Amino acid sequence: MEGRAGAAGGIGSKGMVVVVRGRWRWVLLGVGVVAFGAGLYWFQPWKLWENATVREALPGPSATGAAAPSAVPSAAQPRTVAEGALISHEHTTTGTAKVIRLGDGSYTLRLENLDTSNGPDLRVWLTDAPVKEGVDGWRVFDDGKYVSLGKLKGNKGDQNYEIPAGLNLSEYTSVAIWCDRFDVSFGAAPLASHA
């Protein structure tokens, strides 16, 4: 009888090990599915194949009630006060960034002919950081002073971003397309003032 109990106990022990392994497989599978889902949410790799094109006109007076352009004094016409060409950082990026003074005295940042990759949580920043070529320039823009002008409206095209009133533009020397999720620049432009 003792031999039978030992044998039954051994079989029972083996059975328990198999049951525990089966449970661990399900736990590990569940953890793997959750990790995979979190990774998809965090990295959003499908955005690399999605393009959002924006074609905004330069802000100006509305067509109704506005004087004919030739009758508007030149001081009230939009004027570019600084601009620079976008260079690539983490992702290939091209286009032009312009700071434009509008007829009402407000300022807007205009991205023209923008072409970059789409990505998670992209922002447009005015910064005081120097624009550096290559990997050295990827992460410098959050080291100093910066102002977020909002989420990137699209990864292609022409778009405008209102610059907050009262901002001292002389303190900001560059524009960055910044990925807030991964703290990296997709591309940036130095802003050269127009005299």
Side-chain angles (χ1 to χ4, degrees):
M1 288 249 185
E2 234 175 76
R4 286 174 123 186
I11 291 172
S13 295
K14 265 189 170 178
M16 285 297 288
V17 170
V18 170
V19 170
V20 169
R21 279 190 195 158
R23 286 185 183 153
W24 277 110
R25 283 184 195 152
W26 286 111
V27 168
L28 289 175
L29 180 63
V31 168
V33 167
V34 168
F36 181 72
L40 282 177
Y41 171 77
W42 189 254
F43 288 97
Q44 299 177 2
W46 59 88
K47 287 198 171 185
L48 292 173
W49 293 278
E50 290 179 353
N51 288 316
T53 301
V54 176
R55 297 276 183 225
E56 289 183 330
L58 184 63
S62 65
T64 59
S70 60
V72 176
S74 62
Q77 293 293 323
R79 181 173 61 91
T80 301
V81 296
E83 72 179 293
L86 289 159
I87 65 164
S88 301
H89 280 151
E90 175 70 18
H91 293 268
T92 302
T93 303
T94 59
T96 304
K98 294 181 177 182
V99 175
I100 299 174
R101 182 179 174 151
L102 301 174
D104 64 2
S106 65
Y107 291 88
T108 192
L109 176 75
R110 181 161 173 83
L111 300 178
E112 292 182 342
N113 301 312
L114 175 65
D115 190 357
T116 190
S117 299
N118 207 340
D121 207 12
L122 295 179
R123 307 289 172 150
V124 178
W125 282 8
L126 281 176
T127 80
D128 66 350
V131 176
K132 298 178 183 178
E133 297 271 350
V135 177
D136 292 340
W138 289 12
R139 299 186 189 276
V140 300
F141 298 101
D142 61 347
D143 294 344
K145 188 185 275 191
Y146 63 88
V147 173
S148 177
L149 301 181
K151 288 189 172 208
L152 186 69
K153 296 173 184 177
N155 63 309
K156 296 183 180 297
D158 305 323
Q159 44 207 275
N160 305 303
Y161 297 87
E162 183 179 342
I163 296 175
L167 190 67
N168 184 354
L169 289 172
S170 66
E171 296 178 3
Y172 298 92
T173 57
S174 61
V175 172
I177 307 299
W178 185 257
C179 180
D180 227 12
R181 173 88 35 99
F182 296 106
D183 292 328
V184 67
S185 169
F186 273 37
L191 293 172
S193 293
H194 286 209

